[in-house]
């Protein structure tokens, strides 16, 4: 039996003065383009941690498309954005990979 999970959750929060990030297709991203990962490492309060890397490859696993990056993705980053150099969201961080490379869910 093959189980595939592919879930993103978008929340609407009223009465909060937070600027939304623009979400764009990653179709225009090319291997070696700069990407940024952002999140709250180990759920520490305060400012988000941001890591810089490159788009290493595009991968398809069980029919699901992923971006592979060497940008640091730490525990606590899951659900955070993978950003292009313009600060637009091109993927959703979903956990750490093995070694120095991570697969990121496309949006």
């Amino acid at each position: 039996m093959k189980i595939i999970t592919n879930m993103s959750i978008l929340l609407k929060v009223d009465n909060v003065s937070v600027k939304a990030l623009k979400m764009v297709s990653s179709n225009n991203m090319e291997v070696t383009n700069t990407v940024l990962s952002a999140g709250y490492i180990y759920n520490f309060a305060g400012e988000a941690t941001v890591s810089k890397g490159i788009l290493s490859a595009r991968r398809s696993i069980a029919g699901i498309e992923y971006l592979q990056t060497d940008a640091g993705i730490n525990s606590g980053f899951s659900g955070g954005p993978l950003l292009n150099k313009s600060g637009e969201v091109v993927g959703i961080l979903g956990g750490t990979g093995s070694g120095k490379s991570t697969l990121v869910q496309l949006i």
Side-chain angles (χ1 to χ4, degrees), residues 45-63:
E47 297 293 319
T49 300
V50 178
S51 297
K52 181 178 177 181
I54 63 165
L55 175 60
S56 304
R58 294 175 171 274
R59 303 278 182 223
S60 180
I61 302 171

Side-chain angles (χ1 to χ4, degrees), residues 87-107:
E88 300 162 324
V89 179
V90 295
I92 303 297
L93 305 177
T96 59
S98 59
K100 295 187 177 189
S101 185
T102 304
L103 296 177
V104 176
Q105 180 72 46
L106 297 177
I107 58 168

Side-chain angles (χ1 to χ4, degrees), residues 27-66:
N27 289 340
N28 294 329
M29 295 288 296
E30 296 182 16
V31 171
T32 73
N33 281 168
T34 298
V35 293
L36 303 169
S37 62
Y40 293 89
I41 188 167
Y42 303 114
N43 297 317
F44 288 139
E47 297 293 319
T49 300
V50 178
S51 297
K52 181 178 177 181
I54 63 165
L55 175 60
S56 304
R58 294 175 171 274
R59 303 278 182 223
S60 180
I61 302 171
I64 300 172
E65 299 295 318
Y66 294 90

Side-chain angles (χ1 to χ4, degrees), residues 19-25 82-84 86-90 107:
K19 182 179 177 185
L21 296 172
K22 183 177 180 181
M23 299 173 75
V24 298
S25 170
L82 182 71
L83 307 166
N84 63 19
S86 298
E88 300 162 324
V89 179
V90 295
I107 58 168

